Amino acid sequence: MQSVLTVCRKELSDHLGSRRYLLLFSLIVVLSILSAYTGSSYIRDNPNVSFTSIFSGSLGSSFSFIYLMVLFGPIIGLALGFDAINRERTRGSLSVVLSQPIFRDSILNGKFLAGIVALSVLAVSTVGIITGVSIPLLGFGPGFDEIIRIGLFTLLTILYLSIWLAVGLLFSTLTKNTTTSILASISTWLLFSILMTVIASLVANIVVPVEFPGGIQVFTSSSVMSDTRAGGNFNQTSPVDMSQFQDYIDTIEANANLESAIKSISPTYLYEEAAQSLLGVTEGGFMTDGNPFQSLDTSQSIASCWPHATVLAVVLIVCFASSYMLFLRQEIRAGG
């Protein structure tokens, strides 16, 4: 354990003093402050929402803190891990370190622990800054229940960032040079953060195509529709074909469920869903009482996010365990 802590202190010192970490930290802090202004404006326009909405915004907002973490979180985690092993191997310093009385697994454990601490500093700092900026803007602070939610949300964010650190560490162990490692990391980020939404929508539309029922054109307050295909017009109405309309609704729900199932492969989607649940707001499903979002109390939020958080933890363990086994089995020679 002492050797793990020694490696951890050395790696943590390197992380906190590196230009890479300081640049990413500064960028995230600036963007987080701007998202705090956006979230505060949303709360002022909607007095009934809770303080935690400063992190989620209006859910449709493209500049909430959750969105920032979904988009930039993988970059932060990957940046701390993509060259952790192969950089040492390229420099020849890895064999020098292993010549010392230190176990090989202590090196990997120390590097991973240092990365988690660095990411925790970043997550706690940004959440604290957003909260501190929002209190004077709103004129009130979070209550006890909201403090619990923010604390759990911070832990979830650390878990999410640690997954990408583990992915970067895996690529660093698997590849021999940093160029290949960073290309693999960027490809993984693009796939799970951006392309997965497009792929899920495409597959869902192919497997469960949604077609608007022919003839149904206009809704009216008296639940009638104009049937233009039957020779009618907008002034001529006919009773709603409820069975046809219900089939249409069922098809939309099946399409949405399949798309959601495919997107669940991505850690970014799981984090986004769990974060929204923890902050007290979640999507209520299609056409739920005219309100697509529902408020959850603390127990419901924890119960709702628990499955997503469990899957994220499993992904983290699998990625790190894979790196661990690969690193212990690799042959490391002097000078490379």
Side-chain angles (χ1 to χ4, degrees), residues 14 37 46 60 62 87 102 109 113 115 118 125 153 162 173 211 230 236 240 245 252 262 268 298 330:
D14 291 344
Y37 278 98
N46 300 273
S62 60
R87 180 189 57 190
I102 184 172
N109 292 335
L113 183 60
S125 300
F153 170 67
S162 299
T173 308
E211 297 179 358
Q236 180 180 356
V240 176
F245 184 70
I252 290 180
I262 297 172
T268 59
T298 304
Q330 285 178 342

Side-chain angles (χ1 to χ4, degrees), residues 7-23 25 76-84 87 110-119 165 169:
V7 175
C8 177
R9 283 195 294 269
K10 186 264 181 185
E11 290 294 321
L12 183 60
S13 176
D14 291 344
H15 283 319
L16 298 182
S18 68
R19 294 180 181 178
R20 180 192 309 170
Y21 181 81
L22 294 176
L23 179 62
F25 188 90
I76 299 169
L78 292 170
L80 297 187
F82 79 92
D83 61 349
R87 180 189 57 190
K111 287 179 177 291
F112 188 57
L113 183 60
I116 291 178
V117 174
L119 293 174
L165 170 67
L169 194 63

